[in-house]
Amino acid sequence: MSSRVHNFNAGPASHPLPVLEGIQAEFLDFKGSGMSVVEVSHRSKTFEEVIEDAAARVRRLLQLDDTFHVLFLQGGASLQFAMVPMNLLPEGRSADYVNTGTWATKAIKECTIQGKMANVVASSEDKGFSYIPKEISFSPEAAYAHITSNNTIKGTQWTSFPDTGGVPLICDMSSDIMSRAFDAAPFGLIYAGAQKNLGPAGVTLVIVRQDMLERVPKDLPTMLKYSTYVAHSSMFNTPPCFAVYTIHLVLKWLEETIGGLDKMEEINREKADLLYRTIDTSEFYRGTAETESRSVMNVTFRLPTEDLEKQFVQEAAQHGLIGLKGHRSVGGCRASIYNATSLEAVKALVGFMEEFARKNG
Ligand SMILES: *Cc1c(COP(=O)(O)O)cnc(C)c1O
């Protein structure tokens, strides 16, 4: 498939090629059903096996014990910004939030919009969200503490998760879920829109701990309650079947081809190190995130001028290197190097960056 480019898009983003080929191969006749996966009933045994196996693989990959429920929702991470306080922040209590960028800011807004108390315990806004705050004092009485594990736009990432002293952590892991192994025990809820590191847009992975469900108010609309998804194994209504099916194949690839999250993390580190080394050893490129807060998933950098940045993005595209423009809110350049972006793709990008710097530096 020589017509395929190296894809550095931030989301929707690249998928593992064997997954796309697998979809293509069985698209017209799914598992001998004589129907496409987009045509089978979501209540059929065929599809039930897919969604159950997807959840089982999430469980195995993240080593979740049975206090956790693995759910598939719609509405993206953005709906979770609202559903988290709606379900988990009881009347008269407050929640701690750490503001590390655009997405965290939106999460805070969706809490306050409901007239609920979001207590911003730390923020990196003073330096343009270029770092992850340290030594945060979380409130012992907070209903939960909300963080964003990877800041897709600014290219910062928590290297380890903060100690909240027993207050349940709630985490937006949209752009780094399944990129590394971590201990899930301190988390009350984890959510991730699929389109960065899990599969196609249209489905959101939610992992919720059993004790959190006791807080869900009875008077919420059915579709906005986590307990509905738990009670109906994510099938109260029609789930996004095709997206769930694709996630299932991506997780299978992670387990069986890559060999799990430790191995995935090793590969991801190698890719990120290669890019950051290229940036650090050049006078031409400048990383925008503080060194110790740098993301392994989204590498953000600037060139000497905005004109050169524009030229860089254009010429890169001519070389089959796609999606290197920074987020429209911040400008500059960004290479998103999620799980599915190969080491070969990163090597091709590094080669191009070195040549571009030589020609234009
Ligand atoms: C992309 C992104 C979002 C928004 O996701 P939607 O699924 O489009 O709502 C939220 N948080 C983070 C960290 C993201 O990267």
Side-chain angles (χ1 to χ4, degrees):
M1 286 232 175
S2 57
S3 61
R4 284 185 58 80
V5 296
H6 292 309
N7 183 354
F8 298 95
N9 278 325
S14 68
H15 284 52
L17 186 56
V19 166
L20 298 177
E21 288 169 341
I23 294 170
Q24 189 178 44
E26 63 184 5
F27 194 64
L28 298 184
D29 181 6
F30 182 57
K31 304 225 181 285
S33 65
M35 291 176 276
S36 171
V37 66
V38 299
E39 298 173 305
V40 299
S41 164
H42 63 291
R43 306 282 176 203
S44 65
K45 183 117 189 62
T46 322
F47 184 75
E48 256 177 28
E49 277 173 16
V50 170
I51 196 163
E52 279 168 17
D53 194 48
R57 287 180 187 277
V58 169
R59 223 170 246 300
R60 277 203 299 275
L61 281 159
L62 296 178
Q63 299 186 324
L64 304 175
D65 63 35
D66 31 314
T67 60
F68 289 97
H69 301 279
V70 176
L71 310 173
F72 300 100
L73 276 67
Q74 298 187 54
S78 298
L79 182 58
Q80 294 312 301
F81 297 160
M83 271 180 77
V84 164
M86 201 180 280
N87 282 266
L88 306 181
L89 182 46
E91 211 68 53
R93 293 186 64 189
S94 69
D96 284 355
Y97 279 79
V98 180
N99 192 359
T100 51
T102 308
W103 300 116
T105 304
K106 290 193 176 183
I108 293 162
K109 186 178 168 205
E110 291 299 315
C111 180
T112 52
I113 244 176
Q114 298 176 47
K116 302 205 173 199
M117 276 261 291
N119 181 22
V120 180
V121 285
S123 167
S124 49
E125 196 170 7
D126 59 336
K127 290 187 190 162
F129 297 118
S130 59
Y131 69 101
I132 300 290
K134 278 196 283 207
E135 286 159 40
I136 302 165
S137 318
F138 290 95
S139 339
E141 72 281 3
Y144 60 77
H146 182 283
I147 60 170
T148 313
S149 55
N150 183 72
N151 300 284
T152 326
I153 295 173
K154 290 291 185 168
T156 64
Q157 186 177 25
W158 295 77
T159 48
S160 61
F161 294 116
D163 181 1
T164 57
V167 172
L169 263 175
I170 308 278
C171 190
D172 176 359
M173 290 199 191
S174 293
S175 53
D176 68 354
I177 187 119
M178 299 295 174
S179 69
R180 56 179 172 181
F182 62 92
D183 174 18
F187 293 86
L189 187 142
I190 292 164
Y191 60 93
Q195 69 275 17
K196 315 293 170 51
N197 212 17
L198 283 175
V203 61
T204 313
L205 175 67
V206 172
I207 297 164
V208 61
R209 210 170 61 198
Q210 174 64 31
D211 61 303
M212 296 290 107
L213 299 171
E214 289 158 20
R215 306 180 181 187
V216 177
K218 301 229 170 354
D219 59 355
L220 289 184
T222 312
M223 285 293 286
L224 295 176
K225 280 183 193 166
Y226 292 121
S227 42
T228 301
Y229 296 84
V230 171
H232 297 269
S233 306
S234 304
M235 296 226 272
F236 173 76
N237 73 331
T238 319
C241 298
F242 183 74
V244 170
Y245 156 76
T246 306
I247 286 191
H248 161 254
L249 293 178
V250 171
L251 297 172
K252 191 165 150 67
W253 168 82
L254 258 175
E255 280 196 293
E256 294 169 17
T257 306
I258 297 297
L261 294 192
D262 287 332
K263 190 72 197 145
M264 192 70 252
E265 178 172 5
E266 213 176 285
I267 298 168
N268 285 334
R269 288 209 166 278
E270 192 178 351
K271 292 184 295 184
D273 286 349
L274 196 57
L275 264 175
Y276 285 121
R277 214 176 315 129
T278 306
I279 291 167
D280 290 342
T281 54
S282 112
E283 305 271 287
F284 189 75
Y285 301 104
R286 182 172 53 82
T288 60
E290 288 191 10
T291 310
E292 54 182 27
S293 299
R294 282 170 162 179
S295 167
V296 172
M297 297 276 98
N298 308 95
V299 177
T300 50
F301 55 97
R302 308 286 322 218
L303 274 63
T305 67
E306 285 185 18
D307 281 345
L308 279 167
E309 285 168 348
K310 216 168 154 188
Q311 190 189 333
F312 175 85
V313 171
Q314 272 173 7
E315 281 184 28
Q318 287 158 10
H319 285 76
L321 305 160
I322 301 299
L324 293 163
K325 195 166 183 286
H327 190 268
R328 57 198 147 79
S329 64
V330 293
C333 298
R334 169 177 59 177
S336 297
I337 49 172
Y338 302 121
N339 289 353
T341 304
S342 65
L343 182 60
E344 287 62 44
V346 173
K347 283 181 178 164
L349 172 58
V350 162
F352 172 78
M353 285 172 74
E354 286 171 349
E355 190 180 314
F356 190 88
R358 237 186 335 265
K359 279 195 197 144
N360 298 284

